[in-house]
Amino acid sequence: MREHLAQDGAAETAPGCAVPATAAEVLLEGHRATRDRVARSILDHGPSSAADLASRLGLTAAAVRRHLDSLAAAGLVESREQRVYGSRGRGRPAKVFALTESGRDAFYQAYDQIAADALRWISESVGGGKAGEEAVAAFARARFAKQGQKYLSSVERAAAGHRAEALAEALSADGYAATVRRVPSAAAAKAPAGAQLCQHHCPVAHIAEQFPQLCEAETEVFSQLLGTHVQRLATIAHGDGVCTTYVPASGAAPSSAERAPGAVPTAGTSPNETARPRGGNSHD
């Protein structure tokens, strides 16, 4: 929650520098902690009026309203009229404050655990083992094939030499923070440059640690979208800093000499050419 409540003007120091906090910084940190308490109280007790929050937290109503204004400005709470069941007295209905979807997302969520449990159930429902692995792989292929359909038109509109950039832009719109880095061919100095498609964030990294079929299915979809063999060099799920996929120049498939040591065999790669990566030196 505190990450969502950072305010302009807060002084930051370089990592490792033991700089004493100023009175203003201490005061600012105190404000953030109190806002956390206000948001948490709404989470625990449901939509609440400023008076209710002030009573529960031992604050003045004016102080609570200031924190609610900050939370509302950050899109974490919203005001609404209090629902009244039965007859309502005279006067305007009380205003209460509730967490928005973004406000709820700022607290711990168990989505990763639910996803892992669901994939594990899929595997176990067909008997586990090889059959279970294939069942999870079938789900992963279907999931990424659907996602790939969203990107297809963007990639097809791009010039042949810039489809990797178009795919990166589409991935970034879905939260993958993707970039493209052009790299020269190792086979010949005058050969067209290939590209490294780098995903600096992976929304399913924690699940992919347990189910590598997700990474494999994603790589297959990249190959289909780009119309060429692609080579997965590194993944966040396996401990690398960036998910990196090598995309050869248009119309060319990379030779074994162009592949980074230990690269993962993917679509179009002979299974006995390479092994799973153990390091992350080949990405940006």
Side-chain angles (χ1 to χ4, degrees), residues 74-117:
L76 302 177
V77 302
E78 60 185 1
S79 62
R80 61 178 69 157
E81 290 186 356
Q82 185 176 31
R83 291 182 179 179
V84 177
Y85 299 93
S87 61
R88 189 177 70 189
R90 295 181 178 180
R92 297 176 60 186
K95 180 188 293 186
V96 295
F97 295 85
L99 291 177
T100 63
E101 183 176 346
S102 295
R104 290 185 177 277
D105 286 345
F107 292 94
Y108 170 77
Q109 302 288 350
Y111 299 142
D112 282 356
Q113 187 59 51
I114 292 175
D117 289 345

Side-chain angles (χ1 to χ4, degrees), residues 40-262:
R40 181 73 201 198
S41 183
I42 297 173
L43 179 72
D44 291 339
H45 298 275
S48 306
S49 67
D52 291 336
L53 290 164
S55 177
R56 285 199 297 262
L57 300 173
L59 301 170
T60 66
V64 167
R65 289 191 185 95
R66 286 197 300 271
H67 293 305
L68 287 170
D69 287 344
S70 296
L71 289 165
L76 302 177
V77 302
E78 60 185 1
S79 62
R80 61 178 69 157
E81 290 186 356
Q82 185 176 31
R83 291 182 179 179
V84 177
Y85 299 93
S87 61
R88 189 177 70 189
R90 295 181 178 180
R92 297 176 60 186
K95 180 188 293 186
V96 295
F97 295 85
L99 291 177
T100 63
E101 183 176 346
S102 295
R104 290 185 177 277
D105 286 345
F107 292 94
Y108 170 77
Q109 302 288 350
Y111 299 142
D112 282 356
Q113 187 59 51
I114 292 175
D117 289 345
L119 290 177
R120 196 167 291 109
W121 183 87
I122 290 174
S123 176
E124 294 173 353
S125 68
V126 296
K130 191 68 175 178
E133 292 177 3
E134 180 51 39
V136 172
F139 166 82
R141 286 193 292 269
R143 192 257 185 191
F144 282 104
K146 184 176 181 180
Q147 185 174 348
Q149 285 299 315
K150 293 171 52 181
Y151 308 151
L152 184 59
S153 60
S154 297
V155 173
E156 287 183 338
R157 285 197 302 267
H162 295 281
R163 288 186 173 180
E165 284 82 359
L167 178 56
E169 184 176 348
L171 287 166
S172 293
D174 274 350
Y176 288 85
T179 59
V180 171
R181 174 175 174 265
R182 289 289 164 179
V183 292
S185 170
K190 295 183 179 180
Q196 284 187 353
L197 174 63
C198 301
Q199 296 159 262
H200 300 271
H201 176 65
C202 176
V204 298
H206 295 304
I207 309 304
E209 290 177 11
Q210 305 172 57
F211 300 96
Q213 296 96 323
L214 294 174
C215 295
E216 294 162 5
E218 181 185 62
T219 307
E220 291 175 6
V221 168
F222 287 175
S223 179
Q224 294 162 7
L225 287 170
L226 298 173
T228 184
H229 166 97
V230 299
Q231 183 81 35
R232 182 56 62 91
L233 304 178
T235 63
I236 294 172
H238 285 91
D240 300 301
V242 181
C243 293
T244 308
T245 305
Y246 178 74
V247 182
S250 179
S255 67
S256 58
E258 292 179 87
R259 300 188 183 110

